[in-house]
Every structure is written in C-alpha cells, then in structure tokens.
Amino acid sequence: MQRKTKTSLDTSLLYSKLKYKHLLSEQALSSKHKEAVKFLEERGVKPGKIREHARKLLASGALAGTLLLSSPQLSTLPNLSGKQAVVTTAEVNQSLASKLSLILPNLTAGRQGKIEKLTPEQETEISHLLFTAFGINAVPQLGSTKLNHIYGLIGAEQHLPRFPGDSIGQHDEHQDLGITPGLGAWGYFAPSKDKLTEDLKQKEKYYVAVQTLYLPDWVSRFKYLRDWYKYRKVAVVNPVNGKTIVAVVADSGPAFWTGKHFGGSPEVMAYLGLNVGMQKGPVVLYFVDDPENSVPLGPLEYNLAKNASLLAKK
C-alpha cells in the first residue's frame, strides 16, 4: 500500500503570484482608463490599492490551492524562505543579472548605448523579479505617471548643494567628483545647515536625475508632476551585475543631446559599479510603490517581504 505524501503550501510563492497578478491589473487599469486614473490621483486617491484584500486571500487555503493549481510554475530567483540557508548578496545579484539577460532586449547593444523600448510583458516580468529578489513593489508606472524611458543609459552626476553655503568638503564621500555650481531642480534640500536632517542627507547621497522636462504632459500637468516627482523613490538596477539601489529623484536631466536618460549621484554610480571608464551604462529604473515609507534608501541587500537578515553580505 502506497503511503500518501503530504504536500506543503509555499506561501512565499503564492504571495509572489498574487503580487504579480496585482501588477498586471494595475497596469491594465492605467493603460485602459488613463483619464479616470488621472482624475483619482489628482484628488489624492490611489487606484489599485488591494493589499488588505490580498492579505485576506492569503489566509484562504481553498483559494490558495486554486491559484497554485491554475497558475503555471513561476521561474524564481534563489528561494529566500527561512527554511533554507542564508544566501549571499552576490548570489542574489548574479541570479538577478542572469534573469534580466533573458528579458532585456539585446543587453550587449544596451551597453553600447543602443537602447530598445521594453514591452509591457517585459516590464511586468522585471517587476516580478524585483519583488521575488528583494520584496519591494517596484513598477514602471504609478497610476498615470510614467517616464519616457525606464530602461536606458545612466551617467555620473556631481554632488548637489544641500543648503546655502554647502561645500564639497562637507560631504562625506567621493569629494573628488566635486559639487554642482547650480542647484538641483527642486532647489536646496534644507534652508540652512542646522535644518539638514539625516533623512535629507540620505536623499542627496542617493539621488538620481530623470528627464521630467521631456514628459509629454509636463507643461499641462506641471504643478502636479513637479510635486509628484520631488524625492520620488526609485529602484535602479544594473542589469550587467544585478546590483540594485534605492534612490530618490532630486534633479532633472540629463539633456537629450547627451544620449543618456538618467543621472546618478556619486554614491549611486559607485555602488552600481558604473563609476569607472566612461562612467555610464544601462540601467532599469522603476518607481518604488512605498506609501508607508518602509523601503530605506541605499543598496538593496535584503528582502523586505521576508526578513532583512536573509541576505548575508559577501
């Protein structure tokens, strides 16, 4: 008589699948009903907020079983569940880079500056990969707001003045790269040195520049978009080595004629491994959907959805 084997429910995989379906639904809503989404956003209502409902779905064993049986097996990054040994950050980065090489169009050409647009399917796959690897909700579009490029070339930027009288000698690292003579697109981070909080220091340390001026609705929605993009949290991924960092939008640029699509602070470029040679390279830049401000700025070397200690530094 054969003994029946007891199957266990992989809740991590289930949660990942639910988030994947959520991303698809939210993108479909934004693409098919742009005016409705724009109307809600400008009145402080965020469409597609279904996290509370997702938690209820996770508690339902019957529905969970149905989802697992009806969905194809997803290819994932290293299983980071607590049942397995701790994996190193290097292993996660390597796996992420390997997966991205199968998704991104002609990565070799991208390293040479020939960037192709991503399809909606590719965009969603990348969101799923980032959630699986790090537990963050990184998306190419938030509501009706999307950059012209989410896969493109990033170039090195200098430090930004944080307050009146700021100088390069008052910055902690990479002082050799200098400080910009002018202000960032949103001015000083603080009105004076004594008002510069640790949070604002981190925002200047980990900042990116994006091409807001070239957005098709920048003029018509200037007041809304100016405030929306200020310190907007993003995840920046180097697809070549898989290194990922969380930053904020704190400047506008670079100019179209440079051939680059984003700019990165000295600290951002150093972590991504793009502060050598021509100091530029291809990256994926996604918005981080973080209404509770639970994702800290800086290198992603943890999995927020599971446990921050699951990733061990190399």
Side-chain angles (χ1 to χ4, degrees):
M1 181 177 179
Q2 291 184 341
R3 181 178 297 176
K4 293 183 178 180
T5 58
K6 185 178 180 181
T7 58
S8 60
L9 176 64
D10 188 341
T11 55
S12 296
L13 178 60
L14 173 60
Y15 187 62
S16 179
K17 287 185 177 184
L18 286 171
K19 186 59 191 176
Y20 183 66
K21 289 180 179 292
H22 166 71
L23 291 171
L24 287 174
S25 300
E26 194 164 16
Q27 288 185 16
L29 176 65
S30 299
S31 62
K32 295 179 181 179
H33 305 284
K34 293 181 180 179
E35 292 302 319
V37 170
K38 186 185 301 184
F39 176 85
L40 292 172
E41 280 185 335
E42 293 178 348
R43 284 155 181 79
V45 179
K46 186 180 183 305
K49 190 174 182 181
I50 58 170
R51 288 179 181 167
E52 294 80 5
H53 187 56
R55 293 192 186 101
K56 294 179 182 179
L57 292 179
L58 283 172
S60 173
L63 181 55
T66 302
L67 284 172
L68 285 174
L69 291 173
S70 62
S71 301
Q73 182 66 31
L74 293 176
S75 176
T76 63
L77 291 163
N79 191 338
L80 303 181
S81 68
K83 297 179 181 179
Q84 285 195 341
V86 174
V87 296
T88 67
T89 302
E91 288 175 317
V92 174
N93 291 342
Q94 183 180 9
S95 182
L96 181 58
S98 176
K99 298 288 184 182
L100 287 172
S101 69
L102 301 176
I103 297 174
L104 294 175
N106 202 342
L107 183 54
T108 301
R111 298 176 71 173
Q112 299 171 353
K114 301 175 182 177
I115 300 295
E116 298 179 27
K117 288 278 190 178
L118 301 181
T119 65
E121 292 75 17
Q122 290 169 325
E123 293 176 354
T124 303
E125 284 185 74
I126 293 171
S127 289
H128 180 59
L129 279 181
L130 293 176
F131 178 79
T132 304
F134 304 113
I136 64 168
N137 300 325
V139 293
Q141 178 172 335
L142 269 179
S144 62
T145 308
K146 184 177 183 179
L147 289 167
N148 292 337
H149 297 275
I150 54 176
Y151 172 48
L153 287 178
I154 191 171
E157 300 287 341
Q158 294 180 298
H159 290 285
L160 291 174
R162 300 166 296 179
F163 52 85
D166 193 15
S167 63
I168 190 59
Q170 299 181 74
H171 288 252
D172 296 332
E173 301 176 87
H174 307 287
Q175 295 184 4
D176 57 310
L177 297 178
I179 189 170
T180 61
L183 302 180
W186 285 272
Y188 290 117
F189 289 79
S192 61
K193 185 175 182 178
D194 63 324
K195 298 293 184 181
L196 185 68
T197 63
E198 187 59 35
D199 175 66
L200 292 174
K201 287 181 181 179
Q202 291 292 301
K203 283 180 168 64
E204 189 280 330
K205 183 176 182 178
Y206 300 114
Y207 86 86
V208 294
V210 299
Q211 296 175 319
T212 53
L213 291 176
Y214 301 126
L215 294 173
D217 55 351
W218 179 249
V219 175
S220 61
R221 302 177 69 198
F222 173 73
K223 185 176 180 181
Y224 172 76
L225 291 177
R226 177 196 59 193
D227 295 339
W228 192 92
Y229 272 100
K230 182 180 181 181
Y231 303 151
R232 176 61 53 179
K233 198 173 290 185
V234 297
V236 189
V237 188
N238 182 344
V240 177
N241 58 24
K243 289 189 174 183
T244 306
I245 193 167
V246 177
V248 297
V249 175
D251 202 5
S252 180
F256 179 79
W257 59 264
T258 65
K260 294 177 287 189
H261 309 97
F262 317 110
S265 72
E267 286 82 359
V268 167
M269 297 297 283
Y271 181 76
L272 294 176
L274 296 173
N275 61 335
V276 294
M278 298 294 290
Q279 298 194 61
K280 67 178 182 179
V283 295
V284 172
L285 188 146
Y286 271 29
F287 297 125
V288 177
D289 187 7
D290 184 30
E292 298 175 1
N293 197 28
S294 59
V295 182
L297 302 183
L300 267 173
E301 296 178 339
Y302 53 86
N303 190 301
L304 193 70
K306 296 167 185 176
N307 191 308
S309 64
L310 286 177
L311 296 184
K313 291 187 177 181
K314 184 177 179 180

